[in-house]
């Protein structure tokens, strides 16, 4: 199973290098809140220095006979469509703080946020939200600060979980309808973003965790060629994730088909399309890790193979990982009903259960005494194994073919989830910890002033990358594996390979 923040959400729910940003025209008048698109006019709103247009349909509702089919064009409308509220969340499980409980299938809507006084062509950032490709909405990530820094920001809802990735011979199709939805949104951006002040020739796709794996998919998919010009991959090592085999996807789907009683139907597809969304969600479960199917026209090769062979959409890439990815996941388990801090005597058995014959070597390299607690030690092992080493491998593969920058978000004084009690050891730069620095996200505690200044610097770097392909630090190359450490202090080169025992994990995998 590839890592994502679905596990973190589950346990929680159960328990300086200065960077420049594109200048905005100081004398420009506030742009209009009624904008024409290819399918009709939309009326947005203006506040706090930005214009916001929400709930714009970018594809037809995938309901009825269109369930599990490629997205179709949205129908045009007459008059001016209200665009002051986001569209419905796509169908997803209930009870997760990173999600919005929903059984809605009419959900293919996007949002555009732009500086209120901007004119001309600004770089465009298309945000693909995370949530294990199971949960979430685009609008829950407030983009006002990114837009104010000089970008047009687009987010979208796309089909999730069982609705987006069910794969059966009875249904046909790609097995990656959620990825196809994102491509439809990118085609909408190409056709319409100029009317909002964006440059259709300067589009950056940006995703984190499940959304980051989607970016990996777009890098590898021939159908995404020409739809974007730069890519930002956060906490999603393309070298080890981003797709499934057809056999694995169909085996998972067969269980769903059996649970909803369609395995013996004369027309399995018709039977499935008649099953209520709630029953499909229940049959699929809450902890799945869907991915598009490799070996299809949508995704001929896995992202890892595409990067190794150089047969991917070669655009400048900013790829990064958080220093302590697994700390939140391990610490969050303490908050589950009946949870508690991991005991010292439980550390070695947990390592043996995960690493088998390699456990002795792992325990020698990561002794309990070096980490302060069993939970912190386990998090260090899992971070380095599942996140840090594969992300460096991803940067190495990318850098052979295209300009690549790599960062490590390493701030220690990060906000925790709002309303949740403290855990037995600091979570630091855990999975998702960088998100409140880039977006206004109610899920987290408010940033104190020092952290707010770090947020400004990070936003500046991200927007600069979207504008120029250079966030403000050296390129990653095989001969010089430069990884920038992002903290509230001076941004400098990280001792990444040493800190995360890269040589150890590389040798262990041989």
């Amino acid at each position: 199973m590839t890592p994502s923040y679905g596990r973190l959400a589950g346990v929680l729910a159960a328990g300086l290098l200065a960077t420049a940003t594109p200048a905005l025209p100081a004398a420009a008048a506030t742009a209009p809140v009624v904008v024409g698109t290819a399918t009709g006019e939309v009326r947005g709103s203006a506040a706090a220095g930005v214009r916001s247009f929400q709930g714009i349909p970018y594809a037809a509702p995938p309901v009825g006979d269109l369930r599990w089919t490629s997205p179709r064009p949205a129908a045009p409308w007459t008059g001016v469509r209200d665009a002051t509220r986001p569209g419905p969340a796509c169908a997803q499980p209930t009870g997760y703080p990173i999600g919005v409980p929903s059984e809605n299938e009419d959900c293919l809507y996007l949002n555009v946020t732009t500086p209120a006084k901007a004119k001309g062509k600004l770089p465009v950032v298309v945000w693909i939200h995370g949530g294990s490709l199971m949960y979430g909405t685009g609008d829950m990530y407030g983009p006002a600060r990114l837009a104010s820094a000089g970008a047009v920001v687009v987010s979208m809802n796309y089909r999730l979980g069982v609705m987006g990735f069910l794969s059966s011979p009875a249904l046909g199709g790609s097995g990656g309808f959620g990825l196809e939805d994102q491509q439809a949104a990118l085609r909408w951006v190409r056709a319409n973003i100029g009317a909002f002040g964006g440059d259709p020739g300067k589009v950056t796709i940006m995703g984190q965790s499940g959304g980051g794996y989607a970016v990996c998919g777009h890098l590898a998919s021939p159908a995404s060629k020409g739809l974007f010009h730069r890519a930002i991959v956060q906490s999603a090592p393309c070298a080890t994730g981003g797709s499934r085999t057809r056999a694995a996807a169909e085996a998972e789907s067969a269980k769903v088909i059996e649970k909803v009683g369609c395995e013996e139907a004369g027309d399995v597809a018709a039977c499935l399309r008649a099953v209520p969304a709630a029953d499909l969600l229940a049959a699929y479960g809450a902890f799945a890790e869907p991915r598009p199917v490799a070996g299809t026209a949508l995704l001929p090769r896995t992202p890892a193979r595409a990067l190794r062979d150089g047969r991917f959409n070669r655009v400048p890439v900013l790829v990064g990982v958080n220093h302590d990815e697994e700390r939140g996941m391990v610490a969050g388990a303490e908050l589950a009903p009946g949870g508690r801090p991991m005991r010292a005597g439980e550390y070695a058995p947990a390592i043996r259960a995960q690493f088998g014959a390699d456990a002795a070597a792992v325990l020698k390299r990561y002794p309990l005494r070096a980490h302060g607690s069993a939970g912190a030690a386990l998090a260090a092992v899992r971070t380095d194994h599942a996140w840090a080493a594969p992300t460096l491998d991803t940067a190495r593969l990318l850098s052979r073919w295209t300009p690549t920058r790599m960062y490590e978000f390493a701030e220690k004084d990060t906000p925790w989830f709002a309303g949740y009690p403290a855990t037995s050891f600091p979570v630091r730069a855990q999975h998702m910890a960088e998100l409140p620095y880039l977006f206004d996200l109610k899920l987290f505690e408010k940033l104190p002033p020092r952290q707010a200044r770090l947020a400004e610097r990070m936003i500046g770097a991200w927007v600069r990358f979207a504008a120029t392909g250079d966030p403000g630090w050296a390129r990653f190359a095989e001969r010089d594996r430069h990884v920038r450490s992002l903290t509230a202090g001076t941004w400098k080169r990280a001792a990444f390979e040493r800190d995360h025992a890269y040589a150890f994990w590389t040798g262990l995998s041989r």
Side-chain angles (χ1 to χ4, degrees), residues 4-13 328-329 332 416-417 430-432:
S4 78
Y5 60 16
R7 285 189 290 124
L8 174 57
V11 295
L12 287 172
M329 298 172 188
W416 180 231
F417 293 95
Q430 56 137 341
H431 194 65
M432 299 175 65

Side-chain angles (χ1 to χ4, degrees), residues 83-448:
T84 59
R85 293 183 299 275
C90 287
Q92 57 193 277
T94 61
Y96 295 89
I98 57 171
V100 179
S102 174
E103 297 172 12
N104 202 308
E105 297 180 67
D106 178 3
C107 63
L108 302 186
Y109 299 89
L110 57 74
N111 316 293
V112 181
T113 306
T114 182
K117 295 185 177 181
K119 281 189 176 180
K121 294 184 176 181
L122 292 176
V124 181
V125 174
V126 178
W127 169 245
I128 304 173
H129 72 79
S132 299
L133 302 179
M134 283 281 290
Y135 330 104
T137 64
D139 62 276
M140 69 186 296
Y141 299 83
R145 288 179 290 147
L146 271 172
S148 296
V152 174
V153 184
V154 179
S155 65
M156 88 287 286
N157 296 348
Y158 55 91
R159 281 174 284 181
L160 303 164
V162 67
M163 299 303 186
F165 298 94
L166 196 70
S167 180
S168 166
L171 295 172
S174 68
F177 302 108
L179 196 71
E180 289 191 62
D181 292 344
Q182 296 163 18
Q183 290 170 339
L186 288 168
R187 289 192 291 272
W188 184 96
V189 168
R190 182 173 60 187
N192 294 284
I193 206 64
F196 295 85
D199 186 346
K202 195 173 289 185
V203 174
T204 297
I205 55 173
M206 169 182 169
Q208 184 266 351
S209 194
Y213 286 121
V215 174
C216 298
H218 291 300
L219 286 167
S221 176
S224 297
K225 184 177 181 180
L227 295 178
F228 63 98
H229 312 93
R230 319 194 203 293
I232 301 175
V233 184
Q234 300 174 204
S235 297
C238 303
T240 54
S243 67
R244 295 179 295 174
T245 65
R246 185 183 296 277
E250 291 184 356
E252 177 187 76
S253 299
K255 295 177 182 178
V256 174
I257 294 169
E258 180 181 2
K259 287 179 180 179
V260 298
C262 289
E263 76 279 13
E264 300 295 335
D267 187 336
V268 173
C271 180
L272 283 169
R273 290 187 171 111
V275 175
D279 294 345
L280 288 163
L281 291 170
Y284 198 68
F287 294 100
E289 295 280 353
R291 297 286 185 267
V293 178
T296 63
L298 176 69
L299 199 62
R301 302 166 191 81
T302 67
R305 172 57 64 187
L307 266 56
R308 279 196 292 271
D309 295 346
R311 302 182 72 175
F312 66 97
N313 297 310
R314 298 186 193 177
V315 299
V317 179
L318 173 61
V319 59
V321 67
N322 292 356
H323 187 279
D324 310 291
E325 291 277 0
E326 287 276 335
R327 277 188 171 239
M329 298 172 188
V330 174
E334 301 175 8
L335 306 182
R340 53 167 175 73
M342 189 178 193
R343 296 188 177 111
E346 296 172 325
Y347 172 60
I351 295 299
R352 294 189 187 101
Q354 181 173 354
F355 292 99
D358 291 324
V362 174
L363 289 168
K364 182 178 180 181
R365 181 62 183 79
Y366 294 82
L368 177 59
R369 64 180 180 276
H371 296 276
S373 73
L378 182 64
V381 171
R382 290 180 174 175
T383 293
D384 294 354
H385 170 252
W387 300 93
T391 300
L392 193 75
D393 288 340
T394 300
R396 292 179 67 185
L397 292 173
L398 285 164
S399 68
R400 296 174 185 172
W401 310 102
T402 197
T404 303
R405 263 81 175 183
M406 182 172 168
Y407 74 88
E408 177 178 53
F409 180 72
E411 176 56 32
K412 294 181 178 180
D413 189 20
T414 58
W416 180 231
F417 293 95
Y420 286 90
T423 54
S424 64
F425 58 89
V427 294
R428 297 180 179 171
Q430 56 137 341
H431 194 65
M432 299 175 65
E434 87 283 15
L435 292 178
Y437 292 80
L438 299 169
F439 297 97
D440 297 316
L441 197 58
K442 294 179 180 178
L443 186 60
F444 289 92
E445 298 167 343
K446 185 177 179 180
L447 294 174

